[in-house]
Amino acid sequence: MVSNDIKEKYFPPEWAFLFHGHRCPFMPIGYRMGMIAMEYLQIEREKDHGFFVFPELGEGHPQTCLIDGIQASTSATYGKVLISKTFWGKLAAVFYHPDKGAVRISLLPDFIDEMGKFEFFSYRKRGIEPSQIPDGVVNEVIDWVFTLSNDSIYKIQDMPGYNFTPIKGSFARDKCEICGEYVFERYIRIKNGKKVCIPCSGYAD
Amino acid sequence: MVSNDIKEKYFPPEWAFLFHGHRCPFMPIGYRMGMIAMEYLQIEREKDHGFFVFPELGEGHPQTCLIDGIQASTSATYGKVLISKTFWGKLAAVFYHPDKGAVRISLLPDFIDEMGKFEFFSYRKRGIEPSQIPDGVVNEVIDWVFTLSNDSIYKIQDMPGYNFTPIKGSFARDKCEICGEYVFERYIRIKNGKKVCIPCSGYAD
């Protein structure tokens, strides 16, 4: 497969960049990761609440942008409670569908090393935000990523026996007896005999 | 302001529905919440990493979809580590910009009660997923929401003195001495004298 085909198949639509807020290589890398996972599991973009993604990233480090690419390509979104970081600081994610199984996709260390040589990262390491980096510098690394085959970027591992059971939801809710705002039942606490929300309770959680 | 103006100003673009995966009232309600917050704080969509949102929702309850609307309108995304739930089970969010201050926007209990009378919710409570609910039933409640003024839906509270300090990030990383994959430094653990990633360590975190 030549790179034009790769770009046509895996390059994010313009709205995904608007959603993300800036152009950078990691959102597209994540978008493509999500596409590959859906191909592997033979599923489509998740309309509702039946597909789960566990990115192995955390906080206080760069390159988490790939999570936005995953959200954009799979619709396994934070708002639908379908994506949850493991806080392991790794550039990988597990994709799980109850009927189709699970696959883990990680970025190959050699790919990360090669990518790190691009000028984009010298800007980032000097603390320059992505939107402030010259377009040519940003596009250079993004374009390079889409000259590479999937096998040059990603390690794809089947995860036999992987399992996850989402929390059973409930519509039950009540008003906090102090602030009067609605609270879903699992988060109601009792304080001085009153049903209250967590901030009104003064409890930590 | 008549509803046509409201719709023009606050209705999500089609890509936001594609991103979210389905049509429902809560994504648009969250989108509009994000727009109102940005107006209040006099800021634009966040290109980089300087604006933070703390939705007061949790898990195991419905209506979290509003978080995807907030992500879509503000670009304060999960992938950029700019949005983090408090797990309080409340239909509200705090929006914080270090230079502009903070605002809390919540859904009025009376609005929630009125909205709950729409047929859409009788489908949802029977466990029918949003993508399976007839278009007319979905659009009825969405259209109704955009006949209402902001003041009929949202409570807007200034949050003087609100503060949040994001974690200082680092690009430092090393390879796990067991699996060979890269790990960002804050997540490296020591096991039998080796630098390893959390899953290879066997530690919980």
Side-chain angles (χ1 to χ4, degrees):
Chain A
M1 188 184 275
V2 298
S3 62
N4 275 354
D5 291 339
I6 288 179
K7 200 157 179 177
E8 194 167 315
K9 192 166 183 187
Y10 296 116
F11 200 77
E14 204 49 44
W15 67 257
F17 291 98
L18 179 60
F19 162 70
H20 184 53
H22 62 241
R23 294 184 91 79
C24 71
F26 277 94
M27 189 285 280
I29 288 169
Y31 187 89
R32 186 169 167 184
M33 189 187 272
M35 297 286 284
I36 294 167
M38 292 191 294
E39 282 170 24
Y40 186 93
L41 298 172
Q42 297 184 284
I43 57 176
E44 302 286 321
R45 174 187 288 281
E46 175 57 34
K47 291 180 180 172
D48 298 308
H49 304 91
F51 176 53
F52 306 91
V53 184
F54 301 95
E56 297 182 6
L57 299 100
E59 60 189 354
H61 65 73
Q63 309 177 356
T64 53
C65 292
L66 73 81
I67 294 172
D68 280 349
I70 293 172
Q71 290 195 96
S73 61
T74 65
S75 290
T77 65
Y78 188 54
K80 293 194 296 183
V81 199
L82 298 180
I83 193 163
S84 184
K85 291 189 288 188
T86 65
F87 293 91
W88 293 345
K90 303 185 74 171
L91 297 166
V94 171
F95 301 82
Y96 171 68
H97 190 290
D99 301 330
K100 302 286 187 168
V103 62
R104 179 179 189 267
I105 304 184
S106 57
L107 300 189
L108 293 166
D110 287 352
F111 165 73
I112 296 170
D113 289 340
E114 280 304 305
M115 187 168 56
K117 295 173 184 167
F118 279 82
E119 198 180 356
F120 177 84
F121 293 96
S122 75
Y123 280 87
R124 291 295 290 127
K125 286 178 183 170
R126 282 181 277 142
I128 297 167
E129 286 282 37
S131 77
Q132 300 305 307
I133 298 175
D135 290 350
V137 172
V138 178
N139 290 332
E140 181 194 35
V141 62
I142 296 176
D143 289 347
W144 173 74
V145 168
F146 284 85
T147 65
L148 301 176
S149 68
N150 289 345
D151 291 348
S152 306
I153 300 176
Y154 303 100
K155 182 167 70 177
I156 300 174
Q157 297 166 275
D158 195 38
M159 300 284 278
Y162 188 93
N163 203 7
F164 166 73
T165 304
I167 289 176
K168 194 169 156 41
S170 165
F171 281 81
R173 65 177 186 214
D174 208 341
K175 282 180 186 165
C176 169
E177 291 185 67
I178 293 178
C179 71
E181 293 182 351
Y182 272 122
V183 191
F184 286 101
E185 207 167 52
R186 70 165 53 230
Y187 294 102
I188 294 174
R189 301 292 180 263
I190 302 296
K191 178 86 171 203
N192 298 326
K194 286 182 174 163
K195 291 191 283 189
V196 299
C197 69
I198 290 172
C200 286
S201 76
Y203 304 144
D205 52 33
Chain B
M1 188 184 274
V2 299
S3 63
N4 275 354
D5 291 337
I6 289 179
K7 201 157 179 178
E8 194 167 313
K9 192 166 182 188
Y10 296 116
F11 200 77
E14 205 50 44
W15 67 258
F17 292 98
L18 179 60
F19 162 69
H20 184 52
H22 61 241
R23 294 185 91 80
C24 71
F26 277 94
M27 189 284 283
I29 288 169
Y31 187 91
R32 186 169 168 184
M33 189 186 273
M35 297 285 285
I36 294 167
M38 291 190 295
E39 282 169 23
Y40 187 93
L41 298 173
Q42 296 185 284
I43 57 175
E44 302 286 321
R45 172 187 289 281
E46 176 56 34
K47 290 180 179 171
D48 298 307
H49 304 89
F51 176 53
F52 305 92
V53 184
F54 301 94
E56 297 183 5
L57 298 100
E59 60 189 355
H61 66 72
Q63 308 177 356
T64 54
C65 292
L66 72 80
I67 294 172
D68 280 350
I70 293 173
Q71 290 196 96
S73 60
T74 65
S75 290
T77 64
Y78 188 54
K80 293 194 295 184
V81 199
L82 298 179
I83 193 163
S84 184
K85 291 188 288 188
T86 65
F87 293 90
W88 293 345
K90 302 186 75 170
L91 297 166
V94 171
F95 301 81
Y96 170 68
H97 190 289
D99 301 330
K100 301 286 187 167
V103 62
R104 179 179 189 267
I105 304 183
S106 58
L107 301 189
L108 293 164
D110 286 352
F111 165 73
I112 296 170
D113 290 341
E114 280 305 304
M115 187 168 57
K117 295 172 185 168
F118 280 82
E119 198 180 356
F120 177 84
F121 293 96
S122 75
Y123 281 87
R124 291 294 291 127
K125 287 178 181 170
R126 282 180 276 142
I128 297 168
E129 286 281 37
S131 75
Q132 302 303 308
I133 298 175
D135 289 350
V137 172
V138 178
N139 289 333
E140 181 195 35
V141 62
I142 296 176
D143 289 346
W144 172 74
V145 168
F146 285 85
T147 65
L148 301 177
S149 68
N150 290 345
D151 290 349
S152 306
I153 301 176
Y154 304 100
K155 181 168 69 176
I156 299 175
Q157 298 166 275
D158 195 39
M159 301 284 277
Y162 188 93
N163 202 8
F164 166 73
T165 305
I167 289 177
K168 194 169 155 41
S170 164
F171 281 81
R173 64 176 188 217
D174 207 341
K175 282 181 185 165
C176 169
E177 291 187 66
I178 293 179
C179 73
E181 293 182 352
Y182 272 122
V183 192
F184 286 101
E185 209 168 49
R186 71 164 54 230
Y187 294 103
I188 294 175
R189 300 293 180 262
I190 302 296
K191 179 85 171 201
N192 299 327
K194 287 182 174 163
K195 291 190 284 189
V196 299
C197 70
I198 291 172
C200 286
S201 77
Y203 305 143
D205 53 33

